[in-house]
Amino acid sequence: MVVPYEGQSFSALRRQCQQNGVLFEDTLFPTSDQSLFYQSNRIGRITWKRPKDLCSNPQLFVDGISAHDLHQGQLGNCWFVAACSSLASREALWQKVIPDWKSQEWDHEKPESYAGIFHFRFWRFGEWVDVVIDDQLPTANGELVYCHSNDSNEFWSALVEKAYAKMCGCYEALDGGNTADALVDFTGGVSEPMDLVEKGFKDDNEKRNELFERVLKVHNRGGLISCSIRATTAADMEAKLDCGLVKGHAYAVTDVRRVRLGHGLLAYFRSDKLTMIRMRNPWGEREWNGPWSDSSEEWKKVSKSERENIGVTVQDDGEFWMTFDDFIANFTDLILCRLINTSYLSFHKTWEESVMRGSWHHNGDPLVNRTGGCVNNKHSFLQNPQYVFDVKKPEDEILICLQQKDRRATLREGRGQNLAIGFDIHRVELNRTYRMHVNQEKVGGSTYINSRSVFVRIDLKEGRYVIIPTTFDPGHEGEFLLRIFTDVPSDCKELSLDQPPTTCWTGLCGYPTLVTQVHIVRATGLAGQDSGGVSDPYVIMRCEGQKVRSPVQKDTRNPVFDSKGLFYRKKARKPISIKIYNHNLLMDSFLGQVSLPAEQGDFQQTLHLRGRGEGRDSDLPGTLTVAVVTSTVLTNI
């Protein structure tokens, strides 16, 4: 679904201009300083000109689209230009950002059809937004002030930049930003920022090889990649290093591959290949001058056909190759923007996506305060929104992205700084359906940062989990979008109720007076069910008609279940039974049971299994360790 920005319909506006024989003028983004700056003019005299005033033969594209069409202007928006450079290398992606581009191209045979109007699409906060602009561009001394192409009559990069600036509030809003955000806006994917220094890739060959495989996979599957060298001081920003690279500068990764060494037929039978990565500087100049730079001797080790195949050119165009080892040695930050495949008609991994829209809000009622801040705020942390999801495989790779509504566009009104956001992940009871009121086992989470989005990739074991998205400080309000990607459906939903609701039957049937958490820790010495003397055991907990089943533990007589169930109890003396079964292909077999004592309070006990209730009345081999926590107060809100 595509949503028109501010209700402006491209087709309706173009038709109206064509019928009236006028060129479109966008009143929402006028040709004035308010479209350029937040407060005051920082450049000087600006003249807005249409492409036909700048050249005799304007075109959207000249000889197609490529990363070489982009050159950064008088804005510190290398992050945006780098993202555009990556976008230009992916036809399927740029055709989404520049829709029906052929009909938007200048038709010099029918000049009367031109209406001076364009539209572009960006993914914002869970939906594609169609942004309409006129073709008037800011110039100084007859030259474009901001992003421009190598060819003076090519305008796609300048027009895309204008549409993005309109969506962000003004051109100055693009001065300093996050490449990860732009990559997501161009694709609807998820960006994973990586600290190459902190994670120790430089000194660990195995980790470096694993990272290359990951980068190669993202590239081969159509994702976008960017990188930079961190500037630690203001003086370091855009400082040129002896190797030709620039600090504090976003580079677009335009290719990743293994390069075959050697010449002739022999090269095809050699197993050794060099792991290589190609980048582009948004300035269109200043390249890496180390090994494997454009004119270095190393390229003689590669056949002419291989050089032509990977597009090695000897010119100062800002694009260059380097080995992945040199890349890790010099760059400090990497951004992988994955295109999450949710189509079942694909040869690649298909992800299941859950999208949750929510907000941090506070209406004065302490029971519905949802602005609790991070876990440092012990008394309010669990008042934040909570979302439960299931991992249904023995282990699954989970991708989680939390995004806040971007505030940069409201900077003029004084609300332009993004909140510091993050989230925690807790492993909870297998049957939890109401909100947490006591912290449980934290198994992961994100760092807190005032960026538009935070991302975590984590491996989780089978079970139920709760995500708690928060702002760092309590009391801050804002909207957010939570996206969770799993291998199988996670049944993600918000936990909105604090406790079981009262109904018209409550007076007759009773209402829970106790809440008991049963934690099955481990079992030992279970009877073996095969020639190897092992089982595939699982546990079923029952109380007052409620049933909780644990995941199956494979090939063991001493399983570590580490599974929890939660029971809202109306009858305090009604026992909780726990039975252990062995999972078989045809019919599961009984291994033993215990009945928990009915007394209240907290305890952990190791109990001997018995066979009563399943055709046996004697003690069985094996024990079960159980921990119980019972609260006499239903909830602690």
Side-chain angles (χ1 to χ4, degrees):
M1 179 180 177
V2 179
V3 178
Y5 181 76
E6 297 293 341
Q8 288 183 307
S9 167
F10 169 74
S11 56
L13 289 169
R14 182 170 66 171
R15 191 183 315 113
Q16 183 180 356
C17 290
Q18 288 171 337
Q19 289 172 351
N20 296 333
V22 297
L23 295 179
F24 177 60
E25 293 194 14
D26 187 8
T27 56
L28 294 185
F29 203 63
T31 56
S32 65
D33 282 0
Q34 79 176 64
S35 298
L36 299 173
F37 312 103
Y38 281 127
Q39 293 174 329
S40 59
N41 188 324
R42 299 184 181 183
I43 294 179
R45 181 178 174 80
I46 296 292
T47 304
W48 295 78
K49 292 187 176 184
R50 297 185 187 268
K52 66 180 180 61
D53 301 323
L54 295 169
C55 66
S56 60
N57 182 30
Q59 292 180 238
L60 201 58
F61 302 118
V62 173
D63 296 328
I65 180 173
S66 80
H68 301 285
D69 297 339
L70 293 125
H71 292 275
Q72 186 180 341
Q74 295 184 42
L75 265 180
N77 68 339
C78 62
W79 60 278
F80 171 78
V81 178
C84 281
S85 294
S86 296
L87 177 72
S89 64
R90 302 292 192 188
E91 183 176 359
L93 296 181
W94 69 252
Q95 287 191 5
K96 230 175 181 181
V97 173
I98 311 174
D100 44 80
W101 63 272
K102 290 182 179 179
S103 69
Q104 295 201 71
E105 184 63 270
W106 275 264
D107 187 346
H108 298 289
E109 294 182 0
K110 297 179 180 179
E112 69 281 358
S113 66
Y114 184 72
I117 185 172
F118 291 88
H119 70 130
F120 303 94
R121 290 175 183 167
F122 308 104
W123 190 92
R124 296 288 275 191
F125 208 63
E127 58 191 11
W128 285 93
V129 179
D130 193 80
V131 182
V132 173
I133 59 167
D134 62 35
D135 66 350
Q136 299 179 91
L137 299 168
T139 69
N141 301 317
E143 302 286 340
L144 290 175
V145 173
Y146 300 127
C147 190
H148 55 279
S149 173
N150 266 342
D151 298 292
S152 60
N153 64 327
E154 183 176 56
F155 289 96
W156 76 266
S157 57
L159 293 168
V160 168
E161 183 187 48
K162 179 175 181 177
Y164 200 74
K166 176 180 176 178
M167 186 178 64
C168 293
C170 65
Y171 274 93
E172 192 180 352
L174 309 187
D175 195 3
N178 192 331
T179 307
D181 292 343
L183 294 176
V184 170
D185 290 342
F186 291 158
T187 64
V190 291
S191 283
E192 178 182 10
M194 302 187 70
D195 188 323
L196 301 177
V197 178
E198 184 183 277
K199 300 206 172 175
F201 294 109
K202 185 175 180 180
D203 301 317
D204 191 323
N205 189 54
E206 185 176 342
K207 287 178 69 174
R208 198 159 58 247
N209 290 338
E210 289 176 359
L211 178 62
F212 178 80
E213 293 298 331
R214 196 185 312 169
V215 173
L216 182 64
K217 183 184 291 185
V218 170
H219 176 75
N220 286 344
R221 294 189 180 179
L224 303 183
I225 306 169
S226 177
C227 56
S228 61
I229 303 172
R230 199 176 309 137
T232 54
T233 65
D236 264 355
M237 283 299 293
E238 299 190 347
K240 184 177 179 181
L241 303 176
D242 291 341
C243 63
L245 301 175
V246 181
K247 279 191 171 185
H249 200 56
Y251 288 78
V253 173
T254 55
D255 203 354
V256 184
R257 65 173 69 204
R258 289 185 173 86
V259 176
R260 184 181 289 110
L261 299 178
H263 297 265
L265 191 60
L266 184 63
Y268 286 89
F269 295 98
R270 294 182 61 173
S271 59
D272 56 324
K273 294 181 181 179
L274 209 57
T275 54
M276 301 282 285
I277 187 166
R278 186 177 70 191
M279 280 153 286
R280 185 174 187 277
N281 184 340
W283 287 346
E285 54 185 23
R286 296 191 183 179
E287 298 184 3
W288 160 254
N289 56 34
W292 299 94
S293 54
D294 282 0
S295 56
S296 68
E297 293 290 314
E298 283 82 5
W299 285 110
K300 292 181 179 178
K301 301 176 184 177
V302 178
S303 68
K304 181 181 178 182
S305 61
E306 182 77 348
R307 290 199 302 270
E308 290 174 350
N309 182 44
I310 65 175
V312 177
T313 57
V314 183
Q315 51 185 304
D316 189 21
D317 56 4
E319 195 166 48
F320 56 88
W321 286 91
M322 62 196 307
T323 67
F324 196 70
D325 286 352
D326 280 337
F327 168 77
I328 294 295
N330 286 276
F331 284 85
T332 61
D333 294 275
L334 175 68
I335 298 170
L336 302 177
C337 183
R338 290 179 172 84
L339 302 186
I340 305 299
N341 175 34
T342 56
S343 169
Y344 292 108
L345 305 174
S346 172
F347 294 108
H348 298 311
K349 177 180 172 66
T350 296
W351 294 86
E352 296 285 346
E353 179 183 19
S354 294
V355 180
M356 301 284 125
R357 293 180 180 273
S359 65
W360 298 290
H361 61 272
H362 191 6
N363 63 1
D365 184 347
L367 294 183
V368 291
N369 173 33
R370 294 293 179 260
T371 60
C374 70
V375 73
N376 296 344
N377 306 281
K378 296 180 181 178
H379 298 297
S380 59
F381 169 66
L382 291 175
Q383 294 175 345
N384 285 294
Q386 299 179 13
Y387 296 87
V388 65
F389 71 97
D390 292 326
V391 175
K392 299 176 182 177
K393 297 172 60 180
E395 189 170 63
D396 196 5
E397 181 185 35
I398 314 294
L399 309 180
I400 303 171
C401 181
L402 174 67
Q403 183 179 120
Q404 63 181 309
K405 204 157 195 177
D406 196 8
R407 297 183 167 208
R408 293 174 67 90
T410 59
L411 229 164
R412 188 177 281 110
E413 289 80 23
R415 300 191 303 274
Q417 298 305 318
N418 284 328
L419 301 170
I421 62 171
F423 57 86
D424 283 355
I425 309 168
H426 289 249
R427 191 163 184 249
V428 298
E429 303 88 354
L430 295 166
N431 63 332
R432 174 167 285 280
T433 55
Y434 302 110
R435 288 174 56 83
M436 288 169 50
H437 300 290
V438 177
N439 280 325
Q440 298 209 40
E441 178 192 359
K442 180 180 175 181
V443 294
S446 72
T447 56
Y448 279 79
I449 188 170
N450 63 342
S451 68
R452 201 178 73 189
S453 63
V454 291
F455 173 85
V456 163
R457 179 171 47 83
I458 187 172
D459 293 324
L460 294 176
K461 295 180 180 178
E462 186 174 357
R464 181 162 289 186
Y465 297 85
V466 167
I467 299 175
I468 305 177
T470 84
T471 58
F472 184 77
D473 294 315
H476 288 164
E477 295 189 313
E479 297 178 59
F480 63 81
L481 186 75
L482 181 66
R483 306 169 74 192
I484 303 170
F485 300 91
T486 52
D487 195 37
V488 295
S490 65
D491 302 330
C492 183
K493 62 182 179 181
E494 183 176 4
L495 294 177
S496 55
L497 295 179
D498 288 296
Q499 58 194 39
T502 56
T503 68
C504 59
W505 300 102
T506 299
L508 182 64
C509 302
Y511 188 75
T513 57
L514 298 176
V515 59
T516 300
Q517 182 195 76
V518 181
H519 182 190
I520 309 299
V521 183
R522 67 179 64 86
T524 57
L526 298 181
Q529 295 294 305
D530 60 19
S531 58
V534 294
S535 301
D536 295 335
Y538 64 91
V539 169
I540 292 181
M541 299 172 257
R542 285 189 175 92
C543 180
E544 296 187 36
Q546 303 174 68
K547 183 176 79 170
V548 181
R549 173 173 167 160
S550 78
V552 174
Q553 305 299 306
K554 290 287 187 180
D555 300 327
T556 179
R557 292 186 62 197
N558 304 296
V560 177
F561 288 110
D562 192 20
S563 296
K564 298 176 184 178
L566 195 64
F567 298 98
Y568 291 86
R569 303 168 66 189
K570 301 172 185 175
K571 302 171 184 177
R573 297 191 175 278
K574 189 80 171 178
I576 298 175
S577 73
I578 302 171
K579 296 182 180 180
I580 303 182
Y581 294 87
N582 179 55
H583 179 65
N584 292 312
L585 186 61
L586 296 178
M587 186 173 70
D588 295 350
S589 55
F590 175 71
L591 294 180
Q593 70 175 10
V594 297
S595 184
L596 297 186
E599 61 261 25
Q600 300 174 13
D602 304 347
F603 65 86
Q604 177 165 324
Q605 294 183 7
T606 299
L607 305 170
H608 287 277
L609 296 169
R610 296 184 62 81
R612 189 169 53 249
E614 294 284 342
R616 301 184 179 93
D617 56 7
S618 60
D619 286 347
L620 292 172
T623 62
L624 184 68
T625 302
V626 183
V628 173
V629 178
T630 297
S631 173
T632 54
V633 181
L634 189 60
T635 57
N636 182 23
I637 302 173

